[in-house]
């Protein structure tokens, strides 16, 4: 390589790199105007970027959900329990709960039969005496290995499932004295309760 060609190559390399020295890759998303949480702001008079909640307002759709909310310790039931609610609860229970809890609520669902940890039976004293809010909280937020179902099951259906679980619990733990007279007679005669 001759001396002239080296000079020419150096000049070409310098000419190519000169326009790129002041440039950077365009990163509009990284350098966009935005307010970071809790960052100071000169735009608002109070100097804060986050805005306080407007008084007497409720987020869209939250009023209906709030009426059905119950604290974990509450034993209230916000819906009237009737046959329609129990049938809806049975339907939702079979869809969402039977894979783990089983059809009878005894914790022997298909998933637990295939090696996952068995959930507790609904028929034990601890869960029979648990308040309704405890079940609502567990369905909403999950518990142990169970994920929360707040995105999949609307609040009204969660209460329907709780009503059905209570019916399952009652079906196995009812006292003979609480049964109707004709059913008691069949049991005393040694027949089926159906």
């Amino acid at each position: 390589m001759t001396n002239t060609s080296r000079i020419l190559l150096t000049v070409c390399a310098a000419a190519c790199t000169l326009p790129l020295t002041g440039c950077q890759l365009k990163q509009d998303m990284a350098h966009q105007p935005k307010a970071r949480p809790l960052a100071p702001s000169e735009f608002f008079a109070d100097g804060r970027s986050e805005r306080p909640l407007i008084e007497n307002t409720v987020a869209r759709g939250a009023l209906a959900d709030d009426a059905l909310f119950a604290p974990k310790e509450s034993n209230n039931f916000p819906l009237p329990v009737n046959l329609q609610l129990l049938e809806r609860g049975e339907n939702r229970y079979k869809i969402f709960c039977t894979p783990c809890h089983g059809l009878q609520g005894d914790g022997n669902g298909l998933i637990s039969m295939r090696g996952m940890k068995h959930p507790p039976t609904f028929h034990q004293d601890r869960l029979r005496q648990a308040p309704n809010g405890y079940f609502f909280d567990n369905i909403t937020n999950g518990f142990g290995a169970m994920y929360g179902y707040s995105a999949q099951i609307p609040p009204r259906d969660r209460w329907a499932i709780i009503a059905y679980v209570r019916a399952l619990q009652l079906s196995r733990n009812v006292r003979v004295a609480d049964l109707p007279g004709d059913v008691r007679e069949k049991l005393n005669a040694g027949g089926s309760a159906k």
Side-chain angles (χ1 to χ4, degrees):
M1 187 180 256
T2 65
N3 201 16
T4 319
S5 52
R6 281 189 187 142
I7 293 174
L8 186 58
L9 186 62
T10 306
V11 169
C12 286
C16 290
T17 57
L18 186 62
L20 297 177
T21 57
C23 297
Q24 65 179 9
L25 295 176
K26 198 169 192 176
Q27 294 192 4
D28 290 338
M29 293 297 287
H31 301 294
Q32 61 182 320
K34 62 183 173 264
R36 297 201 178 268
L38 305 175
S41 171
E42 297 173 9
F43 185 78
F44 296 105
D46 62 1
R48 301 182 316 169
S49 61
E50 78 281 352
R51 306 311 318 138
L53 298 175
I54 299 172
E55 209 173 311
N56 298 322
T57 58
V58 178
R60 190 176 187 179
L63 267 179
D65 293 348
D66 285 351
L68 297 176
F69 174 78
K72 202 171 186 176
E73 307 80 31
S74 172
N75 212 18
N76 292 337
F77 206 91
L79 298 172
V81 179
N82 53 28
L83 185 60
Q84 181 183 2
L85 185 75
L86 285 172
E87 287 173 348
R88 177 70 178 178
E90 179 183 13
N91 176 275
R92 301 287 97 183
Y93 179 86
K94 286 180 179 177
I95 291 170
F96 293 105
C97 307
T98 56
C100 296
H101 292 281
L103 283 172
Q104 298 176 9
D106 53 7
N108 291 324
L110 290 175
I111 289 177
S112 57
M113 291 175 145
R114 291 191 169 101
M116 288 189 69
K117 184 178 178 186
H118 286 256
T121 175
F122 290 132
H123 306 291
Q124 63 179 298
D125 286 337
R126 180 181 68 84
L127 292 179
R128 276 192 315 229
Q129 295 167 1
N132 294 327
Y134 175 80
F135 288 99
F136 186 81
D137 182 68
N138 288 348
I139 295 171
T140 304
N141 302 315
F143 183 81
M146 176 180 152
Y147 291 109
Y149 280 92
S150 61
Q152 295 91 344
I153 306 174
R156 184 170 295 279
D157 285 347
R158 287 180 234 161
W159 285 111
I161 290 170
I162 294 166
Y164 182 71
V165 166
R166 293 300 193 187
L168 280 176
Q169 290 173 330
L170 187 61
S171 72
R172 281 215 189 157
N173 299 292
V174 69
R175 295 180 307 189
V176 174
D178 294 337
L179 293 173
D182 58 331
V183 176
R184 266 185 286 160
E185 287 175 17
K186 284 183 181 180
L187 282 175
N188 290 337
S192 172
K194 290 186 179 182

